[in-house]
């Protein structure tokens, strides 16, 4: 491919993105938070009353509001999404020497949470239509390497139990949850959803994070709504919810003054300051999602004129929160990814490639894996572009 062809495609993509976000005299960030007046009022209340730590009323209210919004029976707030996934996996029964099925194309937190439990990530491939775990390819893989023993699925090649399947909903696009739920049931393996990126997304009308035994959300600073830092565990099981709250609050037993802890717990409870932001931002989440979907529609229209790239739109049976917009280069133009990234960032349009697949990282190169050909291909073709809700009128 000639240098002039590279420049033409890069320029066309820069022009299309620029049409969507407008002139960029300053850097247009990939994703920036913007808080409501109510968020400021809630935080001010915390500061003026002194209720800034995890015992404040906003924490409980945020949990209740999140459960109501997602349709989960219970929600337990944590300091971040990684902590939420750590505890969700622990409560699902994952332990040392187990394996956990996760996509290789994910943020490192998914693999890290598995490792916190001295378990081993087992990488599976994605569906190019969802960028999430492909249930058909995973079923074929488990048929080849899995066997049922004592009511659980084991990896015949390693002898280890496959203790959970963890789909991650990439950029807010739901994975094929019907297929994954069915697969998990057939293999007697708990499904734990990493819905860190998909607050507000639904699959066949049901909110992500509520299909498995447990699910988690994230409120990191770049998410569709943020609490500065924070996460949430979702479950319909009251016992698991009670355990989650206990474990994330240092496993301290109720007592007027004594410090008695009945197990190893974690200091993972969300502070009231963060929850105060969450209560305010959750109240306007639907407005943010509407803005994000309108921004995505603008990108789709702008990219129609570009030969060699399209906007990723996800499956038709799911409603995406459109958290992070992604351009997908045609297969023939995949080698131009870095040139496009340089051109976009030079134009002050902050853009990034998708994460480095987990199986390529030195930490995880020896982990078990399925065929990852789709992951390998898509990792070289996907580019995230500016996606802040305030790029359109709220």
């Amino acid at each position: 491919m000639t240098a002039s062809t590279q420049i033409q495609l890069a320029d066309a993509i820069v022009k299309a993105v620029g049409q969507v976000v407008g002139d960029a005299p300053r850097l247009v960030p990939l994703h920036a938070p913007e808080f409501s007046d109510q968020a400021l009022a809630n935080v001010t209340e915390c500061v003026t009353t002194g209720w800034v730590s995890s015992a404040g009323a906003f924490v409980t209210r945020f949990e209740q509001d999140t459960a109501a919004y997602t349709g989960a029976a219970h929600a337990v707030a944590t300091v971040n999404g990684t902590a939420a996934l750590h505890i969700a996996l622990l409560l699902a029964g994952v332990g040392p020497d187990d394996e956990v099925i996760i996509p290789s194309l994910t943020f490192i937190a998914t693999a890290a949470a598995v490792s916190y439990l001295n378990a081993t990530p087992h990488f599976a491939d994605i569906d190019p239509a969802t960028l999430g775990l492909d249930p058909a390819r995973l079923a074929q893989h488990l048929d080849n390497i899995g066997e049922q023993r004592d009511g659980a699925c084991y990896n015949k090649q390693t002898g280890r139990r496959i203790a959970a399947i963890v789909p991650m909903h990439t950029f807010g696009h739901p994975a094929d949850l019907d297929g994954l739920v069915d697969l998990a049931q057939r293999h007697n393996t708990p499904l734990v959803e990493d819905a860190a990126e998909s607050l507000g997304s639904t699959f066949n009308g049901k909110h992500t994070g509520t299909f498995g035994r447990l699910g988690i959300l994230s409120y990191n600073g770049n998410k569709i709504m943020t609490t500065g830092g924070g996460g949430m565990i979702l479950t319909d099981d009251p016992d698991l919810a009670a355990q989650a709250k206990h474990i994330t609050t240092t496993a301290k037993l109720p007592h007027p003054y004594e410090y008695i802890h009945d197990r190893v717990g974690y200091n993972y409870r969300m502070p009231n300051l963060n929850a105060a932001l969450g209560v305010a931002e959750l109240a306007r989440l639907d407005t943010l999602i509407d803005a994000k979907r309108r921004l995505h529609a603008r990108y789709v229209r702008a990219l129609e004129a570009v030969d060699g790239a399209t906007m990723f739109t996800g499956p038709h049976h799911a409603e995406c929160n459109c958290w992070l917009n992604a351009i997908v280069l045609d297969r023939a133009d995949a080698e131009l990814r870095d040139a496009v990234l340089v051109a976009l960032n030079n134009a002050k349009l902050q853009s990034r490639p998708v994460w480095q697949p987990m199986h390529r990282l030195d930490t995880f190169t020896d982990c078990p894996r399925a065929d990852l050909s789709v992951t390998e291909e898509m990792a070289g073709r996907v580019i995230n572009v500016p996606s802040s809700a305030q790029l359109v009128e709220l």
Side-chain angles (χ1 to χ4, degrees):
M1 187 170 291
T2 65
S4 62
T5 303
Q6 294 181 19
I7 293 171
Q8 287 174 0
L9 179 59
D11 286 349
I13 291 176
V14 169
K15 180 180 178 181
V17 174
Q19 288 175 346
V20 173
V21 305
D23 295 332
R26 299 184 182 85
L27 177 71
V28 180
L30 186 69
H31 198 282
E34 184 179 19
F35 296 105
S36 64
D37 292 341
Q38 187 61 53
L40 177 60
N42 287 1
V43 170
T44 301
E45 179 183 333
C46 292
V47 173
T48 56
T49 61
W51 288 99
V52 296
S53 194
S54 57
F58 279 115
V59 183
T60 299
R61 180 176 168 187
F62 188 35
E63 291 172 331
Q64 293 170 343
D65 290 353
T66 301
Y69 185 89
T70 61
H74 306 278
V76 178
T78 62
V79 291
N80 54 56
T82 311
L85 186 56
H86 175 197
I87 299 304
L89 290 171
L90 175 66
L91 293 174
V94 176
D97 298 322
D98 285 335
E99 293 180 11
V100 176
I101 301 287
I102 68 170
S104 180
L105 195 71
T106 186
F107 182 56
I108 195 169
T110 313
V114 174
S115 300
Y116 293 167
L117 295 164
N118 293 313
T120 300
H122 184 138
F123 300 117
D125 212 357
I126 59 167
D127 181 346
T130 67
L131 298 181
L133 282 179
D134 185 331
R137 291 172 65 85
L138 181 54
Q140 184 178 33
H141 177 62
L142 290 177
D143 285 344
N144 290 333
I145 63 96
E147 65 178 1
Q148 292 292 314
R149 298 203 317 258
D150 303 320
C153 183
Y154 283 79
N155 183 341
K156 291 185 293 187
Q157 298 174 346
T158 65
R160 292 189 291 248
R161 182 176 68 120
I162 298 176
I165 296 172
V166 182
M168 194 280 289
H169 306 302
T170 310
F171 311 142
H173 295 280
D176 180 357
L177 286 162
D178 281 348
L180 291 167
V181 168
D182 179 68
L183 180 66
Q185 291 174 344
R186 285 193 286 115
H187 287 273
N188 297 313
T189 306
L191 189 76
V192 178
E193 285 180 77
D194 182 349
E197 302 179 355
S198 61
L199 176 63
S201 298
T202 60
F203 181 88
N204 288 334
K206 185 177 180 180
H207 199 285
T208 55
T210 64
F211 284 76
R213 184 173 299 177
L214 302 112
I216 68 98
L217 303 169
S218 172
Y219 307 104
N220 187 39
N222 66 350
K223 294 298 188 289
I224 190 165
M225 61 159 277
T226 181
T227 60
M232 194 75 73
I233 299 169
L234 304 177
T235 184
D236 287 339
D237 187 315
D239 180 61
L240 290 178
Q243 289 188 62
K245 186 172 181 179
H246 182 58
I247 293 170
T248 57
T249 319
T250 69
K252 182 181 181 296
L253 297 175
H255 193 281
Y257 51 84
E258 290 282 6
Y259 285 82
I260 302 172
H261 307 261
D262 63 352
R263 61 178 295 179
V264 174
Y266 301 87
N267 192 13
Y268 280 178
R269 188 77 169 149
M270 177 185 283
N272 204 45
L273 275 171
N274 300 87
L277 288 174
V279 167
E281 295 306 287
L282 185 60
R284 69 179 192 128
L285 178 59
D286 287 343
T287 298
L288 295 173
I289 292 173
D290 176 70
K292 304 277 270 180
R293 288 174 176 165
R294 286 186 282 125
L295 179 64
H296 176 76
R298 291 184 188 179
Y299 271 124
V300 170
R301 291 193 296 270
L303 266 292
E304 287 174 350
V306 177
D307 185 17
T310 57
M311 288 302 296
F312 184 78
T313 56
H316 69 276
H317 50 268
E319 289 289 335
C320 181
N321 63 8
C322 295
W323 167 57
L324 207 56
N325 287 293
I327 293 174
V328 181
L329 301 177
D330 290 355
R331 287 185 179 86
D333 298 310
E335 65 185 80
L336 303 183
R337 187 198 72 172
D338 289 350
V340 172
L341 282 164
V342 169
L344 284 165
N345 284 285
N346 284 346
K348 301 178 181 177
L349 301 167
Q350 189 176 45
S351 303
R352 72 174 196 192
V354 72
W355 317 277
Q356 190 72 228
M358 295 298 99
H359 70 279
R360 294 182 187 171
L361 301 180
D362 289 345
T363 305
F364 301 117
T365 51
D366 294 331
C367 293
R369 69 183 73 164
D371 173 76
L372 299 172
S373 54
V374 178
T375 296
E376 292 280 0
E377 178 192 323
M378 297 304 291
R381 295 171 56 198
V382 175
I383 295 173
N384 291 124
V385 290
S387 300
S388 303
Q390 57 263 41
L391 290 172
V392 298
E393 184 177 353
L394 294 175

